[in-house]
Amino acid sequence: MLKTNHSQDRPYLGYGLGLRKDHFETVLAERPNVDWFEIISENYMVDGGKPLNYLDRIREHYPMVMHGVSMSIGSTEALNFDYLKQLKVLFKRVEPAWFSDHLCWTGVNGVNLHDLMPMPYTEEAIKHVVDRVSQVQDFMGQQMLLENVSSYISYYDSQITEWEFLTEVAERADCLILLDINNVYVSSYNHNFNPNTYLEAIPSERVYQFHLAGHVHENNLIIDTHDQPISDPVFELYASAVQQFGRVSTMIERDDNIPPLSELLIELQQVRDIAEHQFESQQKSLTA
Ligand SMILES: [Fe+2]
């Protein structure tokens, strides 16, 4: 079972990619220089079929983590234990380093919005989510990672900031954090806050993973589309995050307009170079 660690002791996987079906064959044939893969859990929560077969074969060569989109941990709908049972079966099969889902709600009253909706940042919502995260962790026998989402709306009821909300939930539920650097940037633009203020407030020892992704500008908003290369401001924010948090397992999420694997490998090398440059600079300033 994963335990909360000091940041220097956190498990570290290196630089990874989201595993996408477009790349199954290439990954098996070429064994690319990727340290690990993240899978979308729901794509493999089935009894058989080709994707599961590919997953088993690719898993033999790469460490993996599981990332879900359907837990709806913030909803007032009852937790779906059928879903959690399937998740646990997949967890036993894949033996991932950890599993994650989003700090959001995706529906209520039987309606699925097919979107990751932000939470109202209130004490009532903190208690609600903490109780549900604790139930999930008890059921899974593991700590889970919660990811910050991009948002385009806010609630009049919110009493605290998003970063205070995320920190409170993580501390009280004793769960871990998947910090999506692109989502921090997107929300900072849409809601007009300083993204570095967000990063500085997050407890380093709980951050086990970073997401990076691309977005698009639309009217006066940024939309989190995952269909573009990572933008320069997100790379800059990533460099700040590396300075603050140290070595955190990092991966690129590309979900649409998926390029050949070779293009993603070039982008992943850019990510690696930025992080390693930060570590070298830190090392030099320590020994100077
Ligand atoms: Fe993400």
Side-chain angles (χ1 to χ4, degrees):
M1 179 167 172
L2 288 170
K3 290 264 187 241
T4 306
N5 284 323
H6 295 298
S7 49
Q8 61 270 30
D9 299 329
R10 72 164 77 90
Y12 177 65
L13 303 176
Y15 303 93
L17 289 177
L19 183 63
R20 304 294 178 257
K21 64 177 179 356
D22 310 55
H23 301 140
F24 283 161
E25 285 291 352
T26 318
V27 169
L28 280 174
E30 297 176 6
R31 306 267 183 85
N33 179 23
V34 175
D35 297 329
W36 56 284
F37 284 104
E38 180 189 82
I39 62 164
I40 303 294
S41 308
E42 286 80 0
N43 291 347
Y44 305 94
M45 286 162 67
V46 286
D47 284 337
K50 273 190 175 177
L52 210 49
N53 183 273
Y54 276 114
L55 174 66
D56 287 343
R57 288 157 65 202
I58 294 171
R59 177 67 184 91
E60 284 173 23
H61 305 289
Y62 294 94
M64 288 189 180
V65 307
M66 282 170 43
H67 183 52
V69 294
S70 308
M71 197 177 286
S72 199
I73 198 80
S75 176
T76 52
E77 205 96 76
L79 271 176
N80 184 342
F81 277 91
D82 288 336
Y83 170 84
L84 290 175
K85 272 180 209 157
Q86 284 181 281
L87 191 68
K88 199 167 178 176
V89 168
L90 185 65
F91 190 97
K92 285 187 177 150
R93 182 180 195 124
V94 175
E95 297 182 335
W98 53 74
F99 74 102
S100 62
D101 207 301
H102 302 83
L103 182 51
C104 72
W105 58 284
T106 59
V108 74
N109 296 334
V111 177
N112 189 336
L113 297 170
H114 299 289
D115 215 338
L116 307 174
M117 303 298 292
M119 300 297 296
Y121 306 130
T122 65
E123 175 62 28
E124 186 184 14
I126 291 171
K127 285 184 181 148
H128 177 69
V129 176
V130 165
D131 174 57
R132 287 162 68 94
V133 171
S134 301
Q135 286 185 59
V136 169
Q137 294 188 144
D138 286 349
F139 181 81
M140 296 292 289
Q142 301 281 328
Q143 280 182 297
M144 73 174 293
L145 276 65
L146 276 183
E147 177 183 357
N148 59 302
V149 294
S150 291
S151 63
Y152 315 98
I153 60 159
S154 54
Y155 302 89
Y156 289 120
D157 284 351
S158 288
Q159 297 153 343
I160 55 175
T161 60
E162 181 186 333
W163 49 94
E164 289 168 326
F165 185 83
L166 173 60
T167 301
E168 274 302 303
V169 168
E171 299 280 0
R172 291 197 215 172
D174 193 19
C175 70
L176 303 166
I177 294 173
L178 193 179
L179 199 57
D180 187 313
I181 305 297
N182 176 60
N183 289 353
V184 171
Y185 180 75
V186 169
S187 294
S188 77
Y189 183 93
N190 292 343
H191 301 295
N192 194 27
F193 60 77
N194 181 340
N196 287 299
T197 306
Y198 192 127
L199 295 189
E200 284 160 17
I202 300 300
S204 181
E205 70 280 5
R206 293 193 183 271
V207 178
Y208 272 32
Q209 187 182 339
F210 288 150
H211 271 172
L212 294 169
H215 58 244
V216 293
H217 283 256
E218 225 174 84
N219 300 319
N220 56 350
L221 286 178
I222 297 183
I223 312 292
D224 178 31
T225 50
H226 294 190
D227 64 353
Q228 302 293 323
I230 299 160
S231 72
D232 288 343
V234 171
F235 272 133
E236 278 169 34
L237 192 60
Y238 174 58
S240 304
V242 168
Q243 263 184 355
Q244 181 187 333
F245 296 98
R247 288 198 183 273
V248 173
S249 308
T250 300
M251 54 83 64
I252 302 172
E253 289 186 295
R254 187 67 176 258
D255 295 308
D256 217 338
N257 188 24
I258 294 180
L261 188 63
S262 54
E263 262 180 53
L264 288 178
L265 292 174
I266 291 169
E267 196 178 25
L268 191 60
Q269 188 58 44
Q270 262 182 290
V271 172
R272 209 182 256 123
D273 290 346
I274 287 172
E276 295 304 323
H277 176 75
Q278 292 298 326
F279 297 133
E280 276 168 30
S281 307
Q282 274 179 349
Q283 202 57 42
K284 270 185 200 152
S285 65
L286 281 176
T287 52

